[in-house]
Amino acid sequence: MRVPVPYVAALSSDLPPVEDDLCMEVPRNGVPHIAYMKPRPGDRDAHGNLWGRMTRVPGGRILFEAMDPVRQRECMEGLLCQVCARPAEREGGTLFIEWQHADERPMQLNRIRTDMPPLCPPCAALSLRHCSFLRRDQSVLLLRVRKSVPCGVAGTVYRVTPALDQWIPSEFDIYSSYSKPRYPGMIAVRMLRKLNGVSVVDPDSLATELEGTPSL
Ligand SMILES: [Zn+2]
């Protein structure tokens, strides 16, 4: 059986933005922030966050453990399945995956914030069965989510050199909530959603649900 390449997975050959592409811009609010030398439509989201650009270079390996920022954002904004990129939203609740590691505090289902885009039911069943990243991981939980709300972005915060002529990466994997002021030097690489109305799903019950589904 041919297992699809997850839409959201990064490729080892794709290149992230380089410092020479960046500049400082003074927007209408007067607070200088990071920008691209050559702006393109879609560089910033509706909250004004600048997003990481990837240069596509063919021929790379699929990195199952890493997500492409542009595709991650597309899936999270549109609630598209991270594997097949088709709509993942379902009336009875949308499926997400989370990890409950043994050395971490038990997950509180009403406090989950995730950067993992949802999955459509067939791809969720397929991934749990075949994805090398998920298959043998006992800590994986499949969740059915009544509602999810975009809550912020995560990314790298750059700081500007004293001569104000270059941005240098300074802090990694920083979360920026939509309800707080933006970091002027942030380049976002992941969008997050807060999950509401969450219940844990037995993956076997999902397989049963899908039996007889014509699309399979
Ligand atoms: Zn799918």
Side-chain angles (χ1 to χ4, degrees):
M1 173 183 192
R2 204 169 157 267
V3 180
V5 174
Y7 179 71
V8 82
L11 282 181
S12 62
S13 50
D14 287 352
L15 301 171
V18 291
E19 274 96 72
D20 287 353
D21 292 342
L22 302 168
C23 65
M24 189 183 283
E25 183 183 77
V26 184
R28 237 180 285 166
N29 68 8
V31 181
H33 65 190
I34 196 164
Y36 287 116
M37 299 277 271
K38 292 180 186 159
R40 293 180 204 155
D43 279 343
R44 290 185 188 277
D45 61 26
H47 299 266
N49 295 292
L50 188 71
W51 272 77
R53 280 177 185 169
M54 298 304 287
T55 306
R56 306 280 175 216
V57 182
R61 261 177 321 113
I62 303 152
L63 302 174
F64 285 93
E65 70 286 3
M67 291 187 280
D68 176 278
V70 176
R71 297 193 189 116
Q72 193 273 356
R73 176 183 167 194
E74 194 186 337
C75 289
M76 275 307 227
E77 278 181 346
L79 281 176
L80 306 179
C81 171
Q82 59 169 286
V83 177
C84 69
R86 286 193 280 259
E89 252 185 314
R90 293 294 184 274
E91 209 155 287
T94 305
L95 297 172
F96 284 81
I97 281 174
E98 268 297 302
W99 283 262
Q100 174 64 68
H101 297 290
D103 57 347
E104 286 173 0
R105 282 195 308 169
M107 189 185 297
Q108 289 179 274
L109 292 183
N110 59 349
R111 298 183 68 97
I112 301 173
R113 201 170 66 192
T114 188
D115 63 6
M116 279 290 278
L119 291 128
C120 72
C123 288
L126 196 70
S127 304
L128 290 166
R129 224 178 305 141
H130 296 285
C131 173
S132 54
F133 193 53
L134 298 178
R135 207 171 32 189
R136 282 185 220 98
D137 192 338
Q138 297 299 311
S139 60
V140 170
L141 286 181
L142 185 61
L143 306 175
R144 199 184 297 278
V145 176
R146 189 170 36 79
K147 193 170 181 231
S148 65
V149 184
C151 59
V153 292
T156 302
V157 175
Y158 288 66
R159 68 181 166 76
V160 73
T161 53
L164 303 181
D165 59 357
Q166 205 178 10
W167 291 95
I168 327 171
S170 150
E171 292 173 273
F172 299 91
D173 203 22
I174 301 295
Y175 174 64
S176 173
S177 167
Y178 290 150
S179 60
K180 303 256 170 69
R182 279 188 288 117
Y183 291 95
M186 176 178 263
I187 294 192
V189 292
R190 296 192 309 277
M191 177 184 166
L192 287 89
R193 281 180 175 263
K194 162 96 176 61
L195 308 185
N196 297 325
V198 177
S199 52
V200 177
V201 181
D202 175 1
D204 292 335
S205 75
L206 186 66
T208 320
E209 262 177 56
L210 290 167
E211 272 170 29
T213 306
S215 60
L216 277 178

